[in-house]
Amino acid sequence: MLCVAVVLTTASCKDDDETPIVPNYLATQTILVVQPHTPTLARALQQNRDDIKANIKTHGLGNTRLVVYQGQSNTSGTLTEYIYANGTVIEQTLKSYQDFPMLNKESMTTLLRDVQQLAHPYGGHYSLIVGCHGMGWVPYGTYYPNRRIAKFIGGETSTTNMETADLATAMADAGMHTDYILFDDCYMACAEVAYELKDVTDYLLASPAEIMAYGMPYSDLFHFLTTTPPDFDNIMTAFNSFYSRYDMPYGTYSVIDCRVIGRLAFLMKTINSRFTFDRAQEPLLQAYDGFSQNHASKHAFYDLGDYIEKLCTDADLRSQAHDLLQRLVPHKTHTAYYYSKFDGLDHFINTYSGITVSDPTTNTLFQPALQTTAWWQATH
């Protein structure tokens, strides 16, 4: 799980006769990296920033502007632009924030508007990278074995967390539609999140399981994110290559085309109207969490493809659903096992569609909130 803070340095002073460092005003896109204040992930997020800068030093930024919001406390932060010049990375502070409870809907809206004003790309494309704790669609305030679970995105207090729906609203209010949203967080590759964000982004890049604190290996793949469109194949290859040799060799990641999720939801409503899931099948479903080992409860995140296979017995409907699923998740990768900190165990991956759903859960901690999600309401 990922997220944090650290003070970014401003550009050093230059002699008057030196060429001033200026942003790429003709950039095709602007990438915004958001790291809300999360002390438990401070070292990991510092590594993320170092890795991004190392990649830029090797590959440059091409036609991309890169800005980073870094939470310095629960209510303060800095927006900084990374500029590639003369083989190095210059950090220029664009704006400092005080009394700024990040991440709430209003603060996120303000931040997105500031980015559009201060780092607008000539080509008009935006992308968003979020690094912090994550818990998919699960609302903040849900408790699990005496510990509070973070909202879909956030740090460690109520002032550094927000719901998926609030992010979607903030983006809509700011008038920002992104080419992609990359979550460097746990459990974000789920149907509920993809459906919530379908109107504000084309693609969702995320993990259906827990992601190690190290997060995305940006030193190996960041340059694949700066092209328009991104080089998804090489992003998946670099991710798998890194985690296959990492000391914690567990990694699952996917690219979800949010423009397809509405059509799948429509079909799932037909399937749900005709079929009822056989509860005897639940222990056989591919899951991506460790909840069932730690508590008198069940898994919450199940493989969507496996669920469809076990729910729907109509061959034609099942074929349609799997065809849509292939379009919904055009790129995906995984190691042989996933790991969950909740039970401290690794789990073999038998089947992998790259996206989860919580429809079949009987976990009483999550069931009430599940039925309030936009995905559930659209499919039942």
Side-chain angles (χ1 to χ4, degrees):
M1 294 182 175
L2 221 87
C3 187
V4 99
V6 168
V7 179
L8 294 173
T9 59
T10 58
S12 59
C13 296
K14 311 289 288 184
D15 294 335
D16 291 340
D17 59 349
E18 292 189 39
T19 303
I21 303 301
V22 297
N24 180 4
Y25 293 116
L26 297 179
T28 302
Q29 71 165 337
T30 292
I31 297 175
L32 167 63
V33 177
V34 176
Q35 295 180 334
H37 183 59
T38 314
T40 57
L41 293 171
R43 184 176 298 178
L45 291 182
Q46 178 66 63
Q47 184 67 57
N48 292 159
R49 293 190 297 276
D50 290 344
D51 286 351
I52 288 173
K53 287 183 282 189
N55 182 278
I56 294 171
K57 289 177 182 178
T58 300
H59 299 282
L61 278 169
N63 288 320
T64 294
R65 296 184 71 173
L66 175 63
V67 291
V68 178
Y69 174 83
Q70 205 172 353
Q72 297 167 342
S73 74
N74 290 342
T75 57
S76 65
T78 304
L79 184 66
T80 302
E81 181 162 11
Y82 288 10
I83 301 172
Y84 176 71
N86 303 320
T88 189
V89 179
I90 306 298
E91 301 176 35
Q92 291 187 338
T93 299
L94 300 179
K95 185 173 181 179
S96 295
Y97 297 85
Q98 299 294 330
D99 299 320
F100 195 68
M102 197 62 179
L103 301 157
N104 67 24
K105 181 171 57 178
E106 292 73 23
S107 295
M108 178 60 83
T109 302
T110 297
L111 177 64
L112 297 177
R113 286 174 175 162
D114 287 345
V115 169
Q116 290 171 302
Q117 179 180 1
L118 298 171
H120 176 72
Y122 181 79
H125 290 266
Y126 291 92
S127 295
L128 175 63
I129 296 174
V130 182
C132 56
H133 291 302
M135 197 61 192
W137 60 269
V138 179
Y140 183 75
T142 300
Y143 285 83
Y144 187 80
N146 300 317
R147 61 181 287 181
R148 187 183 289 270
I149 291 175
K151 292 182 183 178
F152 97 96
I153 164 180
E156 296 155 2
T157 70
S158 60
T159 58
T160 55
N161 286 273
M162 72 185 302
E163 309 289 354
T164 313
D166 288 342
L167 175 62
T169 299
M171 293 177 67
D173 288 349
M176 180 181 286
H177 186 285
T178 59
D179 290 355
Y180 65 82
I181 299 174
L182 185 155
F183 286 116
D184 207 345
D185 323 319
C186 302
Y187 296 118
M188 298 307 295
C190 59
E192 294 84 359
V193 169
Y195 191 84
E196 198 74 65
L197 297 175
K198 65 182 175 60
D199 295 327
V200 293
T201 192
D202 291 344
Y203 291 97
L204 173 65
L205 283 67
S207 173
E210 293 175 39
I211 189 167
M212 299 301 99
Y214 190 95
M216 296 296 285
Y218 293 110
S219 60
D220 298 335
L221 60 74
F222 188 76
H223 57 295
F224 298 130
L225 292 164
T226 62
T227 60
T228 306
D231 188 343
F232 293 131
D233 282 334
N234 274 319
I235 292 169
M236 297 297 103
T237 298
F239 180 91
N240 189 277
S241 177
F242 177 86
Y243 276 105
S244 293
R245 63 181 190 272
Y246 190 53
D247 58 355
M248 291 285 285
Y250 313 107
T252 57
Y253 217 75
S254 307
V255 176
I256 299 168
D257 189 340
C258 294
R259 298 166 297 183
V260 179
I261 192 72
R263 277 171 279 177
L264 181 61
F266 184 80
L267 182 61
M268 288 302 298
K269 186 168 186 175
T270 298
I271 292 173
N272 285 327
S273 70
R274 291 186 52 186
F275 302 97
T276 300
F277 183 63
D278 179 4
R279 289 296 170 191
Q281 296 268 49
E282 185 179 354
L284 304 178
L285 282 172
Q286 174 68 60
Y288 292 108
D289 59 63
F291 298 151
S292 66
Q293 302 294 324
N294 249 355
H295 194 257
S297 60
K298 302 292 185 181
H299 293 293
F301 298 101
Y302 296 93
D303 188 271
L304 177 55
D306 198 29
Y307 175 59
I308 292 171
E309 187 72 21
K310 291 178 171 61
L311 168 66
C312 179
T313 59
D314 182 285
D316 182 58
L317 285 175
R318 188 163 57 189
S319 176
Q320 291 181 52
H322 282 297
D323 285 346
L324 279 175
L325 193 57
Q326 292 297 314
R327 296 169 62 186
L328 177 67
V329 190
H331 309 273
K332 55 184 180 289
T333 190
H334 67 89
T335 52
Y337 294 81
Y338 76 88
Y339 174 81
S340 176
K341 190 175 181 179
F342 284 98
D343 61 9
L345 299 174
D346 56 18
H347 304 262
F348 185 71
I349 298 174
N350 293 293
T351 184
Y352 184 78
S353 67
I355 185 170
T356 66
V357 72
S358 295
D359 283 19
T361 188
T362 55
N363 189 317
T364 56
L365 294 170
F366 302 137
Q367 269 188 322
L370 173 64
Q371 296 183 19
T372 68
T373 64
W375 167 263
W376 180 277
Q377 294 173 7
T379 58
H380 291 80

